[in-house]
Amino acid sequence: MLASLRVATSHWQLRNVEREIALCKQRMGFVLALITVLTAVLLLRLSYLQVALHEHYSTLSWDNRVRVLPVAPPRGLIYSSDGELLAENIAFYDLNIIPERVGDMQATLAGLREWITIRDVEVERFYADLRGQPRFKSITLLPDLSERERAVFSVNLHRFPGVEVVARLGRHYPQGEVFAHVLGYVGRIDEADLEVLDSRNYRASTHAGKLGVERSREKVLHGTIGHQQVEVNSHGRTVRVLEHSAAVSGKDLHIGINASLQRVAAAALDGRRGAIVAIDTNNGNVLAAVSSPSYDPNLFVNGISTARYRALLNSPDRPLFNRFISGEYPPGSVLKPFWGLIALNSGVRAPEDALRCPGQMVLNQHTFRDWKRHGHTNLSKAIIESCDVYFYQLALDLGIGRMHSGLAKFGFGGASGLELSGERAGLLPSREWKRRVYDDAWYLGESVLLGIGQGYMLATPMQLARAVATLATGGALFEPRLVVRVGEEGEMASVSPSRRIAAGDDAHWEYIISSMREVVHGTRGTARRSGQGAQYEFAGKTGTAQKIAIAPGEEYDAEKLEETLRDHALFIAFAPVPAPSIAVAIIVENAGSGSAAAAPIARALFDHYLLNL
Amino acid sequence: MRRLHVDPALFVTVILLACAGLATLYSASGESLAVVYRQGMRIVVALITMLIVAQISPAALARSASWLYLLSIVLLLAVLIFGDETKGARRWLDLGLFRFQPSELVKLSVPIALARYYAHKTLPPNFSQLFLSCCLLVPPVLLIAWEPDLGTALLVAVGGMVVIFATGVSWRYLFFLSGVVLAYAPLHWYLVMHDYQRSRVLSFLNPSSDPLGAGYHTIQSQIAIGSGGFYGKGWLNGTQSHLEFLPERSTDFVFAVFCEEFGLLGVMLLLSLYLFIIFRGFHIARNAGSAFGKLLATALATIFFAYVFVNMGMTSGLLPVVGVPLPLISLGGTAMVTIMAGMGVLMALRAPPRRLP
């Protein structure tokens, strides 16, 4: 019985295993068949390449090399609104070396130095650039050869295998420093740039926008890279182009800046520290934006020398600093019209409300001084003759809450949205702000100071320009616009204001504007000298912003004070009145009186813009 | 002395391939004897490994399955946590004395583990057994794919899937599994793949989209291959500067150099050597004494084919660029040792020639 059992179990096992083996073999067969098919596919592919396309490929390779070269796109140009060329691409010539074709690098360099001066630091930089680059790549030894150097080389190049003069397009700013802060500049691409840029598109490019419009519109200006498949012989010369896909040029930009107006503004500042912003009140286009002193952006394009750069950095006048968006100044008296409007609109004051100004105000044992004793003063007179006492009292009556919210509507305390980087937001103080930053309450004395635009308050020239443009339009607040047209598109649709300040009563705006007109054209206006002989009327407000406090009893003696401690001169204005088209904000640092130093600049700007003088 | 357990046919073929590889390398390296010498040393080490592994009995291999598998998982996790990072990829473990890629070990341990799993089960497997074996296969594949090393992950996946396939699992289950994999693919594309990997696939689909980046090598290698013609340009006559080798690619495109110098004729000879190994592997599988042996041998032979097919395919533009070396020809040591170890396992699985009574 046991014997039969054993046979029975082994019989059962045998059948099972047989089936498994058969199944396994079937599957293995399938895999093997698949492998055979795939091998056939592979062979077919290789035969296709090696037999069918053999002619094609072998001509490409026989003693020649096929290279795929990137083709850099030409950068878009930048024009002003009056059609002047502000940024262009011109030919630069570099002296390059291809390491793999140079026999003895040291000898070659020594030989080159007999014909042209090459500084040791440049040789070091060249060696550093060589590292990590493929030996067939052309590395620049000397950028931007002069015409003479180029001529010398063209004649002698045959002595130096592996050395070549390579032409490239480089950026050039024909108007130099006048537009430096608006346009910015392009510089050599570095690691930081590569993190932001699409490296595939920049394979052939050496430069990218670093600052200004060149940077904010980098994508549009740069264009799209092209490719060329070229045949190169053993000497490295391109024999023919096999295939190419064209690079797409960057688009040209038209900015709203009026070039001649910009030049007038720069000349008016004449290298003094300061800033000017002019805005078109109809659409928010920035007509002029000058920061002075300035610098030549062309220096940065081919790589500025360390010495020059350090000189710019360390200059006490800070030419690299963009004052019109980053300079934060106490606005001083130019705020008075705004306070007036806020007071009228909130009912805290009526136009005929007046007080007697004795030349100072005392609050809690502190004396707040005025620059003159004005006597009987209403709002209009307070603006025209810039009475401080009137506004001290007004500030107390308005209170910090209303002052803050009222000014905020004009764009103070926040960035204007201009597309340049580095814009600061100024400082519009409030109770919450004071509590947050100083952990302290707001004091009445601080409101008083705020009433004449001193104290904690800070504003940039851009903010001031925008705010005065809003006054000019009766409450339409535009976002300042730098770029007006991109490429071939039509002029950008006229912009509607980003918001409108609740007008309150039109009569109030009229009142303020006519007071500002009297500042310029009235017999006692603080800017009357600038209005003399004008063929049109304009409205404005002077400001003299204090940098340090003068103790009571002391006189402000500009000559005695160190220059950097003197008051700033400010002036905001718009023209013509009625129906203004341009608004300006001007600040001249440490120049003393707004009416003497800043207002005449506004007159010059208006004369040029309105009358082409 | 016990006779050395070895398969003479495989051994000879391997030696021939190694010679072809050294000759090609001599040319590709710009006639550098130093490179060839170093590679020769690596080949010797690999051959010794092969011979040692060939002495292990199939039963011992089967016994080692579980701890080998566990060791691999541990090492893969260690790499993801402690691994040396180069160019955003974590593949190497620095063990002081030497550096080592755990994913190489996995190419052996996973097929062994899966073969062991099915070894004593009744075939074809039911769904729960299939599911469990997938649970064995998927974690190492994902861990490698996340390193990221798509090429190795693919090879491991191929090895595992072949084992599963060879067990005779029903076609319905297989379709279901493929569906799951296809569903995972887009997730992998968007969440795991690095930009350079995506750009390689995109450039494969549209070669003109990035001719200077991902597409550059394929363009160059096709030119090199095509220019070889039927007879090739002859040894050392290929124009090396065609292929501007970047260091990390110098191993994978060596096939292009081979094609350029030895032509279609040389390629056919090379392929026959490779195919011989693969068919021999299947032959060993057919005659293996146990289910374990059959499954494992099939898997190893198929993985070997996958190396060859993927490398030749990507060099000739048939497949997108993935980092897979050409066995015994490409420069490099770790992959060679693993491949030779695999060859050793094949030899070990070979049933000893029956003595005629």
Side-chain angles (χ1 to χ4, degrees):
Chain A
M1 170 134 131
L2 265 166
S4 62
L5 251 177
R6 207 179 298 142
V7 168
T9 47
S10 65
H11 193 76
W12 174 82
Q13 275 175 322
L14 254 171
R15 250 188 28 223
N16 200 314
V17 171
E18 253 176 35
R19 193 173 67 110
E20 289 184 10
I21 293 178
L23 189 54
C24 200
K25 283 212 178 123
Q26 187 201 48
R27 288 300 172 88
M28 278 164 49
F30 188 87
V31 176
L32 206 51
L34 188 61
I35 288 179
T36 317
V37 166
L38 287 175
T39 312
V41 168
L42 194 57
L43 262 176
L44 265 171
R45 172 68 178 177
L46 289 167
S47 330
Y48 174 68
L49 289 178
Q50 296 190 298
V51 175
L53 291 185
H54 174 59
E55 276 300 315
H56 172 67
Y57 283 126
S58 76
T59 7
L60 292 183
S61 76
W62 186 252
D63 266 2
N64 293 343
R65 295 168 212 179
V66 175
R67 292 247 202 285
V68 181
L69 296 177
V71 177
R75 198 171 175 87
L77 306 178
I78 304 182
Y79 294 92
S80 69
S81 65
D82 43 343
E84 287 188 27
L85 188 56
L86 302 178
E88 59 179 351
N89 305 312
I90 61 175
F92 289 95
Y93 296 91
D94 299 335
L95 190 65
N96 280 14
I97 298 187
I98 302 178
E100 80 175 349
R101 289 196 221 127
V102 170
D104 183 346
M105 184 66 81
Q106 299 236 15
T108 307
L109 285 176
L112 286 172
R113 292 174 96 160
E114 287 175 27
W115 292 94
I116 186 173
T117 25
I118 307 177
R119 289 177 295 159
D120 285 336
V121 60
E122 285 170 329
V123 174
E124 274 169 39
R125 188 199 39 80
F126 173 68
Y127 275 118
D129 285 346
L130 273 185
R131 248 178 277 139
Q133 294 289 358
R135 287 181 56 79
F136 57 84
K137 193 163 171 200
S138 184
I139 312 280
T140 305
L141 172 63
L142 263 189
D144 197 11
L145 296 176
S146 71
E147 267 201 55
R148 193 180 165 283
E149 289 167 340
R150 219 179 358 125
V152 164
F153 269 107
S154 307
V155 171
N156 289 299
L157 260 183
H158 61 278
R159 295 174 205 254
F160 300 105
V163 181
E164 52 182 9
V165 174
V166 176
R168 65 175 160 88
L169 282 183
R171 203 59 154 170
H172 182 248
Y173 303 101
Q175 312 236 8
E177 52 173 61
V178 174
F179 287 85
H181 288 102
V182 171
L183 297 177
Y185 50 82
V186 297
R188 300 192 76 89
I189 297 176
D190 58 24
E191 304 239 338
D193 295 318
L194 284 174
E195 278 174 24
V196 187
L197 303 171
D198 178 7
S199 54
R200 274 174 302 171
N201 202 21
Y202 282 79
R203 274 214 187 83
S205 308
T206 49
H207 288 69
K210 300 275 183 174
L211 213 56
V213 173
E214 293 273 32
R215 190 194 177 117
S216 62
R217 298 289 175 141
E218 169 65 23
K219 210 156 175 211
V220 162
L221 285 170
H222 181 264
T224 316
I225 194 174
H227 297 108
Q228 242 186 9
Q229 213 178 76
V230 298
E231 202 182 312
V232 176
N233 72 7
S234 52
H235 295 295
R237 274 192 202 300
T238 300
V239 171
R240 59 186 167 130
V241 175
L242 300 168
E243 276 172 43
H244 85 120
S245 70
V248 178
S249 322
K251 297 201 170 122
D252 293 341
L253 284 184
H254 295 255
I255 59 176
I257 304 260
N258 180 304
S260 56
L261 185 66
Q262 178 93 346
R263 281 194 292 271
V264 167
L269 280 175
D270 194 23
R272 293 177 290 174
R273 293 183 298 277
I276 297 176
V277 178
I279 295 185
D280 185 333
T281 53
N282 296 317
N283 50 31
N285 288 353
V286 177
L287 295 167
V290 173
S291 173
S292 176
S294 184
Y295 59 94
D296 181 6
N298 289 303
L299 290 175
F300 286 85
V301 174
N302 280 324
I304 189 172
S305 76
T306 335
R308 271 216 184 103
Y309 186 61
R310 229 180 265 135
L312 285 174
L313 263 185
N314 294 335
S315 161
D317 288 346
R318 300 174 73 196
L320 297 173
F321 183 63
N322 186 333
R323 288 175 160 87
F324 59 78
I325 50 170
S326 309
E328 294 167 307
Y329 305 95
S333 304
V334 301
L335 278 190
K336 287 175 182 168
F338 298 96
W339 296 138
L341 186 63
I342 293 168
L344 288 176
N345 280 342
S346 61
V348 165
R349 280 282 184 281
E352 58 280 3
D353 290 345
L355 55 66
R356 197 180 64 79
C357 166
Q360 66 182 40
M361 183 184 92
V362 179
L363 176 73
N364 296 340
Q365 291 157 347
H366 189 107
T367 307
F368 293 91
R369 299 193 306 171
D370 200 333
W371 65 280
K372 188 174 116 169
R373 183 188 303 166
H374 292 95
H376 186 267
T377 309
N378 66 358
L379 178 56
S380 188
K381 179 173 172 184
I383 291 177
I384 294 170
E385 300 187 27
S386 202
C387 171
D388 293 340
V389 167
Y390 185 93
F391 286 96
Y392 291 150
Q393 187 59 51
L394 182 53
L396 288 174
D397 293 337
L398 274 175
I400 178 66
R402 266 188 292 222
M403 289 170 95
H404 176 91
S405 59
L407 267 195
K409 293 202 185 90
F410 282 92
F412 289 104
S416 69
L418 192 68
E419 64 182 80
L420 302 179
S421 65
E423 186 178 9
R424 309 285 289 264
L427 214 179
L428 182 58
S430 69
R431 242 183 228 113
E432 293 71 39
W433 167 84
K434 182 97 189 296
R435 181 58 68 187
R436 191 168 24 97
V437 176
Y438 289 96
D439 194 23
D440 199 359
W442 182 264
Y443 296 110
L444 286 176
E446 294 167 336
S447 293
V448 168
L449 282 178
L450 192 56
I452 59 162
Q454 303 274 174
Y456 296 113
M457 169 115 191
L458 294 171
T460 63
M462 193 82 238
Q463 285 172 329
L464 288 171
R466 197 176 172 219
V468 73
T470 312
L471 265 185
T473 56
L477 185 74
F478 285 94
E479 258 180 40
R481 200 160 62 142
L482 207 45
V483 174
V484 201
R485 182 148 62 103
V486 175
E488 295 305 313
E489 300 162 20
E491 174 94 27
M492 276 156 74
S494 53
V495 201
S496 54
S498 57
R499 55 175 187 273
R500 285 192 160 275
I501 299 181
D505 195 340
D506 276 350
H508 295 159
W509 293 83
E510 278 308 312
Y511 184 81
I512 298 292
I513 289 175
S514 71
S515 306
M516 289 173 77
R517 192 176 53 79
E518 285 295 299
V519 168
V520 177
H521 298 288
T523 44
R524 304 179 76 99
T526 50
R528 62 186 177 278
R529 257 175 244 124
S530 303
Q532 279 169 357
Q535 294 172 47
Y536 49 86
E537 291 198 331
F538 63 98
K541 181 69 192 78
T542 54
T544 309
Q546 220 178 33
K547 280 219 75 174
I548 60 166
I550 309 287
E554 263 190 35
E555 280 283 318
Y556 174 75
D557 187 340
E559 275 161 35
K560 275 221 207 112
L561 272 184
E562 213 190 291
E563 200 206 341
T564 52
L565 294 179
R566 291 187 211 148
D567 295 345
H568 297 315
L570 295 110
F571 191 65
I572 57 174
F574 48 90
V577 172
S581 56
I582 176 174
V584 302
I586 299 158
I587 176 166
V588 189
E589 290 184 22
N590 312 117
S593 145
S595 57
I601 298 181
R603 168 69 183 277
L605 291 172
F606 292 148
D607 277 349
H608 179 83
Y609 186 72
L610 297 173
L611 304 174
N612 251 310
L613 293 174
Chain B
M1 192 183 92
R2 204 160 60 106
R3 266 210 25 214
L4 202 61
H5 188 205
V6 76
D7 183 24
L10 274 182
F11 191 78
V12 167
T13 321
V14 162
I15 299 281
L16 285 174
L17 279 172
C19 293
L22 286 175
T24 316
L25 208 51
Y26 182 63
S27 177
S29 64
E31 303 189 29
S32 156
L33 272 174
V35 170
V36 172
Y37 184 73
R38 272 201 304 265
Q39 184 72 351
M41 287 292 103
R42 291 193 197 105
I43 292 180
V44 167
V45 168
L47 283 173
I48 294 175
T49 314
M50 173 176 81
L51 289 174
I52 294 177
V53 171
Q55 308 314 309
I56 304 177
S57 75
L61 274 175
R63 277 197 302 271
S64 73
S66 24
W67 68 258
L68 258 181
Y69 180 80
L70 280 171
L71 179 65
S72 311
I73 297 285
V74 165
L75 286 174
L76 281 178
L77 285 170
V79 152
L80 279 180
I81 303 174
F82 307 116
D84 277 355
E85 192 162 327
T86 41
K87 296 185 203 279
R90 282 213 152 100
R91 300 182 194 176
W92 298 87
L93 269 184
D94 200 330
L95 295 174
L97 282 176
F98 59 93
R99 284 182 0 154
F100 148 78
Q101 257 189 338
S103 51
E104 292 294 328
L105 177 63
V106 178
K107 286 183 209 167
L108 285 174
S109 64
V110 161
I112 292 178
L114 281 172
R116 169 72 182 82
Y117 176 74
Y118 280 114
H120 297 303
K121 307 237 176 342
T122 33
L123 306 175
N126 60 30
F127 189 77
S128 64
Q129 286 167 335
L130 174 64
F131 182 74
L132 272 170
S133 64
C134 285
C135 290
L136 280 179
L137 176 59
V138 165
V141 169
L142 282 182
L143 283 174
I144 298 176
W146 292 343
E147 274 180 1
D149 187 349
L150 214 44
T152 313
L154 252 138
L155 289 172
V156 173
V158 161
M161 290 191 301
V162 164
V163 172
I164 293 175
F165 182 72
T167 60
V169 71
S170 102
W171 285 99
R172 213 179 323 158
Y173 294 154
L174 285 174
F175 280 129
F176 173 72
L177 280 177
S178 343
V180 172
V181 169
L182 279 172
Y184 170 73
L187 275 175
H188 188 80
W189 175 272
Y190 284 111
L191 296 178
V192 182
M193 276 181 105
H194 288 206
D195 281 335
Y196 76 91
Q197 293 175 314
R198 277 190 280 250
S199 74
R200 280 187 195 158
V201 177
L202 289 172
S203 135
F204 165 73
L205 294 170
N206 178 10
S208 50
S209 69
D210 191 14
L212 282 166
Y216 186 69
H217 290 99
T218 328
I219 294 176
Q220 292 291 8
S221 79
Q222 285 181 26
I223 293 171
I225 293 174
S227 66
F230 191 78
Y231 293 104
K233 291 186 181 155
W235 188 40
L236 296 180
N237 289 341
T239 29
Q240 254 41 266
S241 45
H242 269 276
L243 305 168
E244 270 100 41
F245 286 121
L246 295 175
E248 62 270 31
R249 305 267 63 157
S250 63
T251 60
D252 300 349
F253 281 83
V254 73
F255 178 63
V257 178
F258 183 91
C259 289
E260 190 180 13
E261 302 193 350
F262 301 111
L264 191 59
L265 193 57
V267 169
M268 291 199 287
L269 283 172
L270 185 70
L271 265 176
S272 25
L273 285 176
Y274 280 130
L275 281 175
F276 179 80
I277 293 183
I278 294 161
F279 276 71
R280 187 78 181 160
F282 273 84
H283 174 82
I284 290 175
R286 183 126 59 98
N287 293 337
S290 61
F292 174 75
K294 286 187 194 315
L295 293 172
L296 186 55
T298 315
L300 290 174
T302 316
I303 292 181
F304 190 82
F305 172 73
Y307 272 108
V308 172
F309 180 73
V310 171
N311 182 288
M312 290 192 183
M314 93 179 164
T315 316
S316 60
L318 211 50
L319 296 168
V321 172
V322 227
V324 168
L326 191 59
L328 289 163
I329 312 258
S330 281
L331 187 68
T334 331
M336 172 128 33
V337 168
T338 334
I339 293 172
M340 290 292 97
M343 207 99 337
V345 171
L346 273 179
M347 290 188 182
L349 290 172
R350 179 169 170 248
R354 271 171 238 283
R355 288 186 181 280
L356 291 171

